[in-house]
């Protein structure tokens, strides 16, 4: 599989192209790195290719907060400026004066 350079970075706020959720990226896989069971649970007509970056998000929708695993093709930058409420964000990130999320030193690689 051909690997591509990731479009988004750790700390970027993104939203899903089709589904109503958004979040902050806390990890990036250069290509699909989840289980085949997870992969096969995605309907074939919307299943993304595996040879692209996949992102781990501290995600949220109107009802709840959770961790999501999303392909690059299904994400766009979220420029809304609406604060995120996922409580795990404060465990992993510090918020810079500019509003950007920066990984805390204990989580940086």
């Amino acid at each position: 599989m051909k690997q591509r350079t990731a479009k988004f970075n750790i700390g970027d706020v993104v939203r899903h192209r089709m589904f109503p959720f958004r979040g902050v990226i806390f990890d990036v896989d250069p290509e699909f790195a989840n289980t085949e069971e997870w992969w096969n649970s995605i309907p074939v007509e919307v299943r993304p290719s595996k040879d692209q970056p996949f992102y781990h998000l501290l995600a949220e929708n109107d009802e709840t907060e959770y961790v999501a695993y999303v392909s690059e093709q299904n994400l766009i930058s979220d420029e809304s400026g609406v604060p995120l409420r996922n409580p795990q964000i404060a465990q992993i990130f510090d918020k810079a004066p500019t509003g950007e999320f920066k990984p805390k030193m204990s989580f940086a690689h």
Side-chain angles (χ1 to χ4, degrees):
M1 284 191 267
K2 180 185 169 202
Q3 290 185 1
R4 296 186 282 179
T5 302
K7 177 179 176 181
F8 301 107
N9 298 300
I10 292 173
D12 286 355
V13 178
V14 293
R15 63 184 175 93
H16 198 280
R17 285 186 187 278
M18 296 179 280
F19 300 111
F21 71 87
R22 57 196 286 267
V24 61
I25 296 168
F26 71 90
D27 198 11
V28 182
D29 294 333
E31 62 183 28
F32 179 77
N34 207 331
T35 66
E36 284 302 309
E37 180 182 13
W38 184 91
W39 181 257
N40 291 324
S41 72
I42 303 169
V44 174
E45 60 275 5
V46 295
R47 191 177 296 160
S49 66
K50 290 183 178 181
D51 66 342
Q52 62 181 310
F54 276 72
Y55 299 85
H56 300 262
L57 308 179
L58 294 176
E60 59 190 54
N61 60 28
D62 288 342
E63 291 84 39
T64 191
E65 299 84 32
Y66 54 97
V67 173
Y69 190 65
V70 186
S71 65
E72 185 170 271
Q73 76 185 54
N74 284 320
L75 292 176
I76 56 176
S77 290
D78 183 339
E79 307 293 334
S80 71
V82 174
L84 292 162
R85 66 178 192 278
N86 190 314
Q88 291 180 293
I89 292 171
Q91 296 171 1
I92 299 174
F93 295 99
D94 287 321
K95 195 162 186 180
T98 58
E100 297 173 292
F101 289 103
K102 301 289 183 188
K104 291 186 178 197
M105 292 308 294
S106 60
F107 285 91
H109 295 126

